[in-house]
Structure formats: C-alpha cells, structure tokens
Amino acid sequence: MRKTHKTGKTYEISPVGYVRKNGTEASLEIIDKYIPGLKELKNFSHVIILWWANRLENSENRNVLQVYPPYSLDRLTGIFATRAEYRPNPISITTCKIEDIDEKDGIVRVSNLDACDGTPIIDLKAYFPSFDRVEKPEIPRWLSFLWQNGRMGNKGKKQVIKWLT
C-alpha cells in the first residue's frame, strides 16, 4: 500500500558561503559566522561540497522527474538515476581536492568544482575514504563506456569535459 505524506513541512537552508570562480580557479568564500567551522579541515586532502543549483531553480525544473542524460541521450532515466542539477530540490554534490585554506579570511581553494561563480554553498564535509568511498561500485551497462576497471577512462574524461564546456 502506497502512502502519501502531506505534512506541509518546509525546511530552511541557509548558505554557509558562496563559490568564487576566476577562470579555472575555484574557491569557497565562507560567510564570517561559519569560518570557525573550517578548523582542522586543512588536514584533509578533499572536501565534499553540497551546493544549491540556483541557476536552474524554478518550478518547471523542480517538477522534472525523467530526463535523457547528456551521457546517454538515447535512454530515458528517472531523475534519481542521474546527476542532473534539475531536480525536486536542486542540491548538488561535488568532491574536490583542497588546494589551500585561509582560515582567517574563510577562503578554501579547491580544484575540479563544477559549480558556477556565485553558487550558494549549503554545506561542507571532510572526505573520509573509509566512509565516503565505495569499494566496488556497480553502474548500468549502458554507462560502461565511461568507466574502465572502476576508474574513469580517457573516453569518459573527454566526454565529461565536453559536457562541462
């Protein structure tokens, strides 16, 4: 039996900072009151960034439940089987290498961030290999062209770069 929950509850999310991009360089500018939360993050190599895909936030995109993803235009998938930024709640997640942290000014320089300049950051989490890594992930066969031996192959890397540019 299917149940529909209609609690009418809403949840408030406030940014802890904003993405700043200058060409290929990316940094996270943390709001003053959250700067103390950076303590000891410098001892990690990577950070998980949760960000709000605000440029695509509208009622139309929030109601998209099936898409043809850019990496498989011939396959209709449910939105929860993609990494698409248009979703019921446009929360995106990226794991980035930490390049440098200025705890005094609240600036975290990172690499490989796929968010735009001005994007709200809703949370940061230190990357823990023992918790955040899946040893032997499985992906659908129709995505296998992206991966070779559990790692992104050259063909996959070229395709991802093409999508991001």
Side-chain angles (χ1 to χ4, degrees), residues 116-136:
C116 299
D117 185 59
T119 298
I121 301 162
I122 57 176
D123 203 0
L124 299 176
K125 297 182 184 298
Y127 178 85
F128 283 76
S130 55
F131 301 133
D132 300 318
R133 182 177 53 135
V134 177
E135 286 289 326
K136 295 180 182 177

Side-chain angles (χ1 to χ4, degrees), residues 35-145:
I35 290 175
L38 295 175
K39 185 172 178 54
E40 297 300 328
L41 185 61
K42 66 184 174 196
N43 294 308
F44 290 85
S45 65
H46 290 76
V47 62
I48 299 169
I49 304 165
L50 286 92
W51 48 277
W52 194 263
N54 60 315
R55 294 187 182 202
L56 294 166
E57 183 186 3
N58 60 51
S59 60
E60 182 181 340
N61 287 341
R62 281 181 166 238
N63 287 300
V64 171
L65 296 178
Q66 293 185 336
V67 296
Y68 290 93
Y71 41 80
S72 188
L73 293 173
D74 62 339
R75 184 168 299 266
L76 182 64
T77 66
I79 197 70
F80 301 134
T82 74
R83 296 294 299 257
E85 55 281 333
Y86 29 82
R87 34 196 343 106
N89 292 302
I91 298 169
S92 294
I93 183 170
T94 308
T95 301
C96 294
K97 181 172 182 8
I98 297 171
E99 300 295 342
D100 185 47
I101 296 180
D102 178 343
E103 275 188 50
K104 181 179 173 283
D105 291 328
I107 305 295
V108 181
R109 283 193 325 101
V110 297
S111 56
N112 299 320
L113 179 58
D114 54 348
C116 299
D117 185 59
T119 298
I121 301 162
I122 57 176
D123 203 0
L124 299 176
K125 297 182 184 298
Y127 178 85
F128 283 76
S130 55
F131 301 133
D132 300 318
R133 182 177 53 135
V134 177
E135 286 289 326
K136 295 180 182 177
E138 292 183 23
I139 61 171
R141 175 175 259 161
W142 49 271
L143 287 177
S144 62
F145 74 95

